[in-house]
Amino acid sequence: MTLELSLNQQPAHARQGSSIGQPLTRRDGFLKVTGGARYAADNHPPGMLYAVLAVSSIARGRVAALDTEAAKAHKGVVEVMTPKNRPALAIDPDAKDNPFMFRLDLLQNDQVRYPNQSIAVVIAETLEAATEGAALLSPRYEALPARVGLDGAKSFVPRGVGIGGPAVQHKGDVETGLRSAKTRIEATYETPAQYHNAMEPHAIVVAWDGDRLSIDTPSQGLAMAQGRIAGLFGIAPENIHIRSPFLGGGFGSKGMISGPQVLGILAARLVGRPVKLVLRREQMYGPVGHRAPTRQTLRMGMDGEGRLTAIDHHARTASSTFDDFFEPAADASHTLYASPAIATSHDAVRLDTGTPLFMRAPGEATGSIALESAIDEAAHACGMDPLEFRLRNYAEVEPMTGKPFSSKALRECYRQAAETFGWASRPLQPRLMRDADGFLTGWGMGTATFPALMFQAEARAVLRSDGSGLMETGAQDMGQGAWTAFAQIAADGLGLDIDRVEFRAGSSDLPNAGIAGGSGHTATAGMAIHNAGAAVIARLADLATGNEASPLFGAGNEGVLARGGRLYRRDDESRGESYAEILMRAGLTEIEAHGKGAPDPASQETYAKHAHGAVFAEVKVDPDFGQIRVTRLVGAFAAGRVINPRLVRSQYYGGMIWGISFALHEEAITDRRSGRIQNANLAEYHVPVNADVPSVEALLVHEDDPYVNALGIKGVGEIGITGTAGAIANAVWHATGVRPRRFPIRIEDLLG
């Protein structure tokens, strides 16, 4: 398709070229498979020292003593940083002035607030010396009893959940709706604490030069990290250069700068040399966030036709004793199912843990597994097929706000996934299907949804006299393929073939690309790239249409077309010239322009914006031992315009596999005596491996949503979790007749 530009108006919604929509392979793939991709810890500046954290082995109390002399006496140890000699900060690390600022443990005192909290940093010539020095510190503690579990402290209603959302919301009269219902269900579900466990641990390589900082560290939000560091150290943000070209996963844990990363900066300042600090796997269970546990109770009422009369969703969750992040699990009931009465509420307890943070689909993942399990139970209580029940009750407008959204796309997801899966042959009652080997077989489904978020970003576009282009934005690629998708948007925005476009990202000295989070990065930075391309083409067109020597002279309001490195008259494509010719005639080697991406306030006020999907699961259960295997998953998803179907499918697969993990594997186990995580490693913190992953199929449902943004982009990184975990739980019930109430689903729950 030809890129169009009318000189007197903004680019049309249909302004696309040949790169968007193509299943291109990753531009960074070769570097990654050959070891050429440089991650933060791969950097080794001259004179670099190694820093190792010493962390608390208690959950609550204070550090009474550290044997710093023994550590310093160890060969190769240069310095030991403790609260006594830590360099001063410009502000209190416990201060907060915005919802995205979280309190940091930076050796400000001797108090211990959770296990694995940093209590000292050992800096040495080698990693081995630093590690051995940390072991020699032999800390002594004055310990207090640990507060653990959702009943481990007095509960309260938080002021807000998520990032400032109301803890309690309602419409209609839930109690009246329940009393008038012909059929009612009530069920309680528990989900455990979960930890991000990205392949790449948090790491930082840092060097000071006066009041200037050079940093290599993984970050999902370069400008946010730059601003936080600037505030802590009292230096200008422009004096801080952060490089983060590659991230080995993040899932929300690298959205904000963490305490250990800042300790690396402090260590470098203390010794006056470059320092590298990398967390060990077990040290990631505490200071860099996690998903909090929940206990959720749902009550639902249905009339004689199987229509919902009331939904009541209450969630208890937890935060740390010193900061606030409350998993908005009950909010999952706001967006899918129509009912005249809906109430959601949260309460919380404070525990001796690190502060929970955003973890892939925060609130949606935890809330949806409970909601979809309850919806399935409600359907069967009414004697209805779960798909029929959902089709009867899915919302045409957003239930809590009444705003219109793309509900027709959800119906199409149901249809395509059900047909592909073969749902029509499913018996209604449980325990009626067995395979040839005698295993109980069950089929379940779940609805997937995730908000179509968008933040703010900027980009810089350049057209060069050699016919090439450059697009710059400080974007992040956590493995989702952002470098490739953004280059595709850039190529179409510049009217060039993709091999003629240089794309630069992953550095804080580039325009602010916002945060790679909330499944909003492609829409946010993508719109900035799109608009920067439009702006530079407009400048180029001004040069041509205002020059009598150009075949485009006088095009005026007729506008121009841009494709293949040339501008054409829209009313006569035989008249045109190359970008190179236009620039050379003007005596320019290049021309540049900037663009911004941001949500449209009017559209935000008018429309509810969501991606939708439906997931169908097959499980097989050993009737004697209760062992569960997921054998088949089919998901259909509608998420606006697809920039690259290969990458989008990869994201759906990742989300669906995470759903398997949520339903059957993943759980942080806390020792109730000490408050410590017992399985803080990848041997005992279970996630799916290849043998656990079944046949997975992701269907891309076409959707044109003109209201989300000019490119029609929605996010795909998190939605796959939200339907899958519930679908697996419902399939387990269909196989066994036992309703899972706690996750991950345990063998003993099925055999008991």
Side-chain angles (χ1 to χ4, degrees):
M1 187 182 295
T2 299
L3 178 146
E4 291 191 16
L5 176 69
S6 176
L7 296 183
N8 65 347
Q9 61 185 29
Q10 292 297 314
H13 174 69
R15 183 176 171 268
Q16 309 300 328
S18 60
S19 289
I20 288 178
Q22 298 301 311
L24 304 183
T25 56
R26 296 171 186 259
R27 290 164 68 93
D28 53 336
F30 181 80
L31 290 174
K32 288 182 174 177
V33 300
T34 59
R38 178 165 292 198
Y39 292 83
D42 294 331
N43 292 278
H44 301 273
M48 185 189 80
L49 298 174
Y50 293 82
V52 167
L53 296 181
V55 299
S56 169
S57 60
I58 67 169
R60 181 184 177 202
R62 63 178 292 268
V63 179
L66 290 168
D67 194 348
T68 56
E69 294 306 315
K72 288 181 179 180
H74 187 70
K75 183 179 179 181
V77 171
V78 174
E79 184 58 275
V80 177
M81 185 169 69
T82 70
K84 295 180 179 179
N85 66 340
R86 188 213 70 186
L89 292 167
I91 61 173
D92 183 351
D94 279 325
K96 296 182 69 164
D97 62 16
N98 70 74
F100 283 95
M101 181 179 286
F102 291 90
R103 297 186 171 103
L104 302 174
D105 287 286
L106 301 179
L107 304 179
Q108 56 262 48
N109 52 49
D110 62 5
Q111 299 299 304
V112 174
R113 307 195 277 201
Y114 56 90
N116 279 334
Q117 177 185 319
S118 301
I119 58 173
V121 181
V122 178
I123 309 149
E125 297 287 351
T126 67
L127 176 61
E128 293 79 8
T131 302
E132 292 157 4
L136 290 170
L137 286 171
S138 302
R140 287 193 300 105
Y141 301 100
E142 294 176 0
L144 295 170
R147 292 162 287 193
V148 301
L150 291 174
D151 298 309
K154 184 178 180 181
S155 66
F156 63 97
V157 177
R159 287 182 294 178
V161 295
I163 295 296
V168 179
Q169 296 188 67
H170 68 90
K171 75 160 194 175
D173 188 331
V174 164
E175 298 304 327
T176 298
L178 289 170
R179 284 194 300 270
S180 66
K182 180 179 179 180
T183 306
R184 290 178 291 276
I185 65 115
E186 180 173 346
T188 298
Y189 306 90
E190 294 194 6
T191 65
Q194 299 174 346
Y195 285 77
H196 300 81
N197 273 308
M199 281 194 298
E200 177 200 27
H202 290 65
I204 189 165
V205 178
V206 57
W208 285 90
D209 182 7
D211 65 348
R212 293 184 175 274
L213 268 172
S214 175
I215 296 173
D216 294 281
T217 195
S219 173
Q220 293 177 232
L222 290 169
M224 286 179 60
Q226 192 180 40
R228 182 68 161 127
I229 294 167
L232 286 166
F233 288 90
I235 58 178
E238 56 268 24
N239 285 3
I240 302 167
H241 184 199
I242 305 174
R243 291 173 295 274
S244 186
F246 299 100
L247 281 77
F251 314 121
S253 71
K254 296 169 183 171
M256 280 75 66
I257 202 77
S258 69
Q261 290 163 298
V262 179
L263 287 172
I265 302 172
L266 285 162
R269 171 165 273 187
L270 179 65
V271 298
R273 289 171 62 179
V275 163
K276 177 192 291 187
L277 188 154
V278 182
L279 291 188
R280 296 197 305 269
R281 176 63 55 181
E282 68 271 18
Q283 292 175 343
M284 295 172 68
Y285 290 73
V288 295
H290 65 281
R291 195 193 306 277
T294 72
R295 181 185 298 140
Q296 303 173 59
T297 299
L298 282 104
R299 298 185 297 158
M300 293 181 178
M302 291 73 65
D303 65 17
E305 296 181 349
R307 297 187 186 279
L308 288 162
T309 62
I311 300 173
D312 181 54
H313 190 164
H314 175 74
R316 171 168 290 186
T317 188
S319 191
S320 67
T321 59
F322 58 92
D323 211 345
D324 295 339
F325 183 85
F326 301 99
E327 182 86 354
D331 289 359
S333 288
H334 290 173
T335 58
L336 275 178
Y337 300 110
S339 173
I342 300 174
T344 61
S345 57
H346 300 80
D347 69 0
V349 296
R350 293 197 180 277
L351 306 178
D352 296 310
T353 68
T355 303
L357 286 176
F358 310 95
M359 184 168 172
R360 199 174 187 183
E364 289 84 5
T366 46
S368 67
I369 195 170
L371 174 64
E372 290 303 306
S373 297
I375 283 288
D376 196 82
E377 187 167 348
H380 285 92
C382 294
M384 293 177 64
D385 174 82
L387 175 56
E388 178 189 359
F389 185 84
R390 285 172 171 84
L391 287 169
R392 185 163 297 184
N393 285 286
Y394 88 107
E396 298 283 355
V397 297
E398 190 176 55
M400 292 296 281
T401 66
K403 295 179 181 179
F405 64 1
S406 51
S407 57
K408 291 181 180 179
L410 175 56
R411 181 177 287 273
E412 184 62 17
C413 292
Y414 284 144
R415 185 190 69 79
Q416 290 193 27
E419 288 182 3
T420 301
F421 188 83
W423 181 261
S425 62
R426 174 189 183 270
L428 185 62
Q429 297 303 317
R431 296 186 69 92
L432 294 182
M433 293 175 21
R434 290 181 183 251
D435 68 5
D437 297 317
F439 287 98
L440 296 167
T441 302
W443 290 0
M445 68 166 295
T447 305
T449 186
F450 198 80
L453 302 178
M454 191 172 172
F455 308 111
Q456 296 186 0
E458 300 172 356
R460 173 178 176 261
V462 178
L463 291 172
R464 297 162 171 157
S465 59
D466 64 359
S468 68
L470 167 68
M471 189 69 70
E472 294 181 328
T473 186
Q476 298 83 36
D477 193 329
M478 296 179 286
Q480 75 272 42
W483 276 25
T484 306
F486 289 146
Q488 290 177 257
I489 297 170
D492 285 3
L494 295 172
L496 293 169
D497 295 334
I498 196 167
D499 59 0
R500 298 290 289 158
V501 175
E502 179 185 0
F503 178 69
R504 294 179 184 167
S507 181
S508 65
D509 59 354
L510 300 176
N512 178 9
I515 188 169
S519 295
H521 199 38
T522 304
T524 302
M527 277 305 303
I529 291 167
H530 171 83
N531 290 333
V536 77
I537 291 291
R539 289 196 65 195
L540 187 71
D542 283 343
L543 290 176
T545 58
N547 191 312
E548 294 183 359
S550 170
L552 299 171
F553 176 69
N557 290 338
E558 294 295 330
V560 297
L561 309 176
R563 67 170 182 268
R566 295 179 65 85
L567 293 184
Y568 301 86
R569 280 190 69 117
R570 186 175 181 180
D571 60 345
D572 181 3
E573 290 196 31
S574 68
R575 298 168 64 184
E577 60 182 337
S578 69
Y579 298 173
E581 290 170 322
I582 298 169
L583 289 172
M584 284 190 290
R585 185 187 305 112
L588 299 174
T589 58
E590 64 181 35
I591 188 171
E592 73 170 77
H594 293 254
K596 294 183 178 181
D600 174 21
S603 179
Q604 295 284 98
E605 183 67 26
T606 305
Y607 299 100
K609 302 177 182 183
H610 300 270
H612 291 105
V615 181
F616 291 76
E618 177 184 83
V619 304
K620 296 193 176 181
V621 181
D622 187 307
D624 299 314
F625 298 106
Q627 188 178 47
I628 306 166
R629 285 281 183 266
V630 177
T631 51
R632 192 158 56 105
L633 287 175
V634 175
F637 303 93
R641 174 167 284 114
V642 171
I643 301 300
N644 184 316
R646 182 192 300 266
L647 301 178
V648 165
R649 279 197 177 88
S650 177
Q651 286 294 288
Y652 289 150
Y653 292 156
M656 294 165 77
I657 292 167
W658 195 304
I660 297 172
S661 187
F662 200 120
L664 300 180
H665 298 276
E666 196 165 346
E667 174 184 26
I669 301 170
T670 301
D671 185 330
R672 300 189 69 84
R673 298 163 300 177
S674 67
R676 296 170 63 182
I677 303 297
Q678 294 177 290
N679 58 333
N681 55 71
L682 287 182
E684 297 169 297
Y685 184 94
H686 294 161
V687 296
V689 297
N690 285 347
D692 298 306
V693 176
S695 166
V696 180
E697 186 172 359
L699 309 175
L700 276 57
V701 176
H702 179 80
E703 180 188 24
D704 292 316
D705 189 331
Y707 306 112
V708 285
N709 49 67
L711 287 171
I713 297 171
K714 299 180 180 180
V716 299
E718 295 162 278
I719 187 173
I721 307 172
T722 64
T724 304
I728 293 168
N730 295 332
V732 168
W733 172 82
H734 191 238
T736 65
V738 177
R739 285 282 177 195
R741 300 293 193 207
R742 60 174 180 160
F743 301 95
I745 304 168
R746 299 162 175 81
I747 289 174
E748 59 264 33
D749 294 337
L750 302 184
L751 298 180

